């Protein structure tokens, strides 16, 4: 799914960069307001962890390449899509600069596809789906939708660049990532379920629950006094 | 086959430690200021993406090969890295002759046409890919990750981002160390991810547990490292790396000026000279 250098004209790359920078600006604002000393290493570790997942690259005949993303997982762990945007942007930057995976000029486009779309679709998709589906199913399906949407957007960008026809791009990129998305969904669910069991304090929804519990306890104490 | 084999294939452009080992060398190019190397090579990439003439890309590639030689990097190793990365983008370039309209050169069964315009555009994409990847291989061979992180910080990257970026680079190595330990433990217990003697879902579950274990082990280690740093006064305003105030000297100026002069000359020749050289100098557009 990483679009390499030279596949998108510079003027389009500039537009994608501007969009990515606007989102990164808001992501930094979120990080300043929300990141504490525990979350900073978690975010860096998650980026390293995603780096390994994203490095499992397989060529797709009518697309660039296929791999897992992990943006939805970060967004769900932190209960914020902005966390996913920062982590994925970091990973993509290192991949582009040191490993030639994805391009430097196409970094903006790749951040939009995998970071922004992956995180937002994954997080809000989960938020919407959990009303209808059990918790773990909603996480899995949201992760699948996130990677599928990101792949389709990459195909659209290649079409807009005049590099590849839309129909074939959507068919192969979408089709391939629909399969990759299933693996992503399974791994995301197992990872989050395991964290929930072993280190529940690392999951933002549990921290929120702890705060709510302590607030309700103190309210009850005040009322009883 | 075991997880170690997957790990060796993980990094398309060489493993994290390999890339870093190559970057820590001593040469005229290695000793240049990190910011100068970063900006100059990024400029070459932008120009390579901008140009539409094959001859321009060929000359840029020659320039990058010269820099690789000056930096005392093995050409064989560098081009092997480029070759390993190419298939991921190259698959699109190779398909160009079949997906673009134009003058039909050959018709395959099922009415699939190979067009001249498609072939030329595919060649252009492939050439751009080679040049930009050589640039990346060169950059990663002459700049350790820490130096690039430091260069970004000195070039004005927001502090929050640069702090997470610096930690991320450190954790990358820590992460692989932890991963190595887990895979060694699995290998010693005869775990084989590719063995069909066990159910696919079970193997997938094992991979997910491995991933989770890597995450938890690395996180717990990372957390203790961070808390140690925090207890010693580390904050987002701290500087992670010792900043040796390096002045931009003659070597840096020569490197920048040579690259800029080359780009300007190539652009002038691209307008006035190269178009008369036939297909290699003609501007390729779709």
């Amino acid at each position: 799914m990483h679009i390499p250098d030279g596949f998108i004209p510079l003027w389009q790359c500039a537009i994608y960069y501007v969009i990515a920078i606007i989102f990164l600006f808001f992501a930094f604002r979120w990080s300043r307001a929300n990141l504490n000393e525990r979350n900073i290493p978690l975010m860096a570790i998650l980026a390293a962890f995603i780096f390994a997942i994203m490095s499992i690259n397989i060529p797709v005949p009518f697309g660039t390449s296929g791999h897992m993303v992990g943006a939805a997982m970060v967004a769900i762990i932190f209960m914020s899509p902005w966390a996913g945007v920062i982590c994925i942007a970091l990973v993509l930057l290192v991949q582009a600069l040191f490993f030639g995976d994805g391009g430097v000029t196409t970094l903006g486009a790749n951040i939009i596809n995998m970071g922004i779309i992956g995180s937002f679709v994954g997080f809000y998709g989960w938020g919407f789906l959990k009303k209808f589906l059990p918790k773990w199913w909603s996480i899995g399906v949201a992760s699948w939708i996130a990677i599928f949407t990101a792949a389709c957007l990459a195909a659209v960008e290649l079409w807009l660049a005049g590099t590849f026809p839309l129909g074939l791009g959507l068919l192969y990129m979408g089709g391939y990532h629909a399969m990759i998305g299933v693996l992503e969904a399974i791994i995301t669910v197992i990872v989050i379920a395991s964290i929930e069991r072993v280190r529940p304090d690392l999951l933002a929804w549990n921290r929120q629950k702890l705060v709510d519990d302590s607030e309700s306890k103190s309210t009850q104490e005040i009322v009883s006094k | 086959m075991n997880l170690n084999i997957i790990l060796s294939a993980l990094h398309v452009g060489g493993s994290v430690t390999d890339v870093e080992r190559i970057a820590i060398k001593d040469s005229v190019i290695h000793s240049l200021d990190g910011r100068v190397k970063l900006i100059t090579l990024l400029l070459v990439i932008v120009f390579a993406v901008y140009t539409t003439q094959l001859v321009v890309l060929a000359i840029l590639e020659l320039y990058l090969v010269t820099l690789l030689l000056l930096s005392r990097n093995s050409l064989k190793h560098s081009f092997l890295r480029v070759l390993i990365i190419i298939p991921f983008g190259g698959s699109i370039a190779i398909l160009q002759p079949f997906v673009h309209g134009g003058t039909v050169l050959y018709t395959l069964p099922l009415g699939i046409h190979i067009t001249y315009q498609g072939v030329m555009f595919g060649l252009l994409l492939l050439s751009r890919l080679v040049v930009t990847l050589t640039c990346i291989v060169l950059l990663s061979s002459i700049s350790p990750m820490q130096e690039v992180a430091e260069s970004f910080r000195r070039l004005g990257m927001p502090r929050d981002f640069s702090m997470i970026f610096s930690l991320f680079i450190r954790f990358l190595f820590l992460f692989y160390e932890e991963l190595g330990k887990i895979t060694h433990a699995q290998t010693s217990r005869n775990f084989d991810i590719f063995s069909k003697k066990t159910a696919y879902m079970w193997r997938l579950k094992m991979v997910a547990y491995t991933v989770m274990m890597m995450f938890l082990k690395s996180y717990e280690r990372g957390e203790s490292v961070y808390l140690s740093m925090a207890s010693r006064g580390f904050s987002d305003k701290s500087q992670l790396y010792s900043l040796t105030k390096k002045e931009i000297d003659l070597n840096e100026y020569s490197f920048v000026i040579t690259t800029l002069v080359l780009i300007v000359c190539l652009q002038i020749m691209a307008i006035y000279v190269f178009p008369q050289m036939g297909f290699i100098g003609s501007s390729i557009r779709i």
Side-chain angles (χ1 to χ4, degrees):
Chain A
M1 208 193 301
H2 290 79
I3 302 173
D5 278 317
F7 284 55
I8 294 182
L10 282 178
W11 67 271
Q12 288 184 18
C13 291
I15 294 172
Y16 297 134
Y17 257 104
V18 170
I19 298 170
I21 288 168
I22 291 170
F23 273 86
L24 280 170
F25 169 77
F26 285 108
F28 288 133
R29 270 204 356 190
W30 170 85
S31 79
R32 275 185 211 112
N34 294 281
L35 285 187
N36 58 31
E37 62 182 24
R38 286 170 74 88
N39 283 341
I40 287 169
L42 179 58
M43 191 160 281
I45 271 292
L46 276 175
F49 167 74
I50 288 166
F51 182 84
I53 292 177
M54 284 174 85
S55 303
I56 308 170
N57 252 317
I58 308 149
V60 182
F62 288 84
T64 48
S65 61
H67 55 82
M68 302 204 306
V69 176
M73 185 180 67
V74 180
I76 293 169
I77 288 176
F78 277 95
M79 290 279 282
S80 167
W82 300 115
V85 174
I86 293 177
C87 279
I88 300 291
L90 275 171
V91 172
L92 290 172
L93 183 65
V94 168
Q95 285 180 333
L97 284 177
F98 295 99
F99 299 95
D101 202 10
V104 173
T105 55
T106 52
L107 185 63
N110 287 328
I111 290 176
I112 292 173
N113 300 341
M114 287 175 266
I116 299 170
I117 297 297
S119 305
F120 276 81
V121 171
F123 180 71
Y124 289 107
W126 170 62
F128 175 74
L129 288 167
K130 70 180 178 187
K131 293 173 190 164
F132 314 103
L133 295 171
K135 184 163 84 177
W136 303 117
W137 275 98
S138 60
I139 290 173
V141 175
S143 307
W144 181 86
I145 295 172
I147 197 163
F148 180 72
T149 316
C152 290
L153 188 64
V156 171
E157 283 161 359
L158 287 173
W159 168 66
L160 287 173
T163 309
F164 214 78
L166 183 62
L168 282 177
L170 281 176
L171 183 68
Y172 288 97
M173 285 286 279
Y176 186 77
H177 283 89
M179 289 186 292
I180 291 280
V182 175
L183 293 177
E184 165 122 353
I186 294 170
I187 291 180
T188 303
V189 167
I190 297 176
V191 169
I192 295 179
S194 313
I195 297 172
E196 171 94 316
R197 208 166 52 227
V198 185
R199 285 287 303 269
D201 57 306
L202 297 185
L203 296 171
W205 70 57
N206 287 327
R207 283 202 292 274
Q208 190 60 45
K209 217 187 308 176
L210 283 172
V211 171
D212 293 346
D213 287 351
S214 63
E215 276 175 3
S216 66
K217 265 183 193 171
S218 50
T219 313
Q220 278 172 1
E221 278 168 16
I222 292 165
V223 170
S224 63
K225 277 176 188 174
Chain B
M1 209 184 279
N2 55 33
L3 263 177
N4 284 325
I5 295 170
I6 304 177
L7 288 176
S8 63
L10 273 178
H11 289 289
V12 287
S15 80
V16 177
T17 42
D18 284 348
V19 169
E20 198 67 354
R21 202 175 296 124
I22 296 164
I24 306 167
K25 273 187 181 173
D26 190 25
S27 76
V28 183
I29 307 290
H30 280 85
S31 62
L32 292 171
D33 185 272
R35 292 166 297 174
V36 170
K37 287 186 273 188
L38 185 67
I39 292 174
T40 313
L41 290 175
L42 292 187
L43 195 67
V44 174
I45 291 179
V46 171
F47 184 62
V49 174
Y50 167 76
T51 192
T52 52
Q53 286 157 304
L54 295 176
V55 65
V56 174
L57 291 164
I59 296 169
L60 278 179
E61 185 66 12
L62 278 176
Y63 177 61
L64 293 172
V65 169
T66 313
L67 292 179
L68 275 169
L69 288 171
L70 279 175
S71 61
R72 295 196 294 176
N73 276 303
S74 152
L75 280 186
K76 186 184 161 194
H77 184 266
S78 303
F79 280 102
L80 268 177
R81 276 184 68 194
V82 171
L83 272 178
I84 293 167
I85 309 166
I86 276 184
F88 302 115
S91 54
I92 287 189
I94 286 167
L95 289 167
Q96 294 303 314
F98 310 104
V99 296
H100 286 292
T103 316
V104 177
L105 293 176
Y106 192 76
T107 303
L108 293 168
L110 303 172
I112 300 167
H113 300 298
I114 296 175
T115 62
Y116 175 76
Q117 283 78 358
V119 170
M120 293 305 287
F121 191 60
L123 264 176
L124 177 71
L125 290 185
L126 210 55
S127 310
R128 278 179 182 164
L129 205 57
V130 171
V131 173
T132 53
L133 288 179
T134 311
C135 231
I136 291 300
V137 167
L138 175 66
L139 179 67
S140 60
S141 310
I142 58 175
S143 311
M145 288 186 189
Q146 285 187 7
E147 188 183 279
V148 174
E150 193 54 58
S151 302
F152 273 124
R153 183 180 285 204
R154 290 169 78 175
L155 287 168
M157 182 189 258
R159 277 190 175 274
D160 313 26
F161 195 77
S162 62
M163 182 169 68
I164 298 173
F165 186 60
S166 306
L167 280 169
F168 164 53
I169 285 171
R170 284 166 184 241
F171 281 130
L172 213 58
F173 297 95
L174 186 72
F175 192 82
Y176 277 90
E177 195 188 305
E178 295 292 352
L179 190 55
K181 283 180 190 168
I182 293 171
T183 50
H184 278 126
Q186 287 178 332
T187 311
S188 68
R189 287 161 180 81
N190 294 325
F191 175 73
D192 185 357
I193 181 74
F194 293 98
S195 167
K196 289 180 180 165
K197 289 174 187 166
T198 47
Y200 178 75
M201 274 308 288
W202 181 83
R203 281 180 277 149
L204 202 60
K205 212 170 164 180
M206 290 305 113
V207 172
Y209 282 149
T210 307
V211 169
M212 186 274 294
M213 275 309 296
M214 283 188 315
F215 169 73
L216 286 179
K217 281 187 80 171
S218 309
Y219 176 78
E220 282 169 3
R221 181 113 168 248
E223 192 179 45
S224 66
V225 168
Y226 183 82
L227 290 173
S228 311
M229 287 158 68
S231 68
R232 285 162 179 81
F234 176 79
S235 75
D236 61 342
K237 289 181 179 58
S238 310
Q239 285 171 347
L240 266 175
Y241 306 117
S242 57
L243 262 178
T244 44
K245 285 266 178 194
K246 192 177 183 306
E247 294 295 320
I248 305 288
D249 61 23
L250 194 65
N251 281 347
E252 274 88 12
Y253 284 118
S254 313
F255 182 58
V256 173
I257 290 168
T258 310
T259 312
L260 280 178
V261 166
L262 176 76
I263 288 174
V264 171
C265 288
L266 280 175
Q267 186 52 30
I268 292 169
M269 289 170 85
I271 299 168
Y272 299 106
V273 182
F274 297 145
Q276 288 141 31
M277 290 173 65
F279 89 95
I280 197 167
S282 63
S283 182
I284 302 166
R285 288 178 205 281
I286 285 287

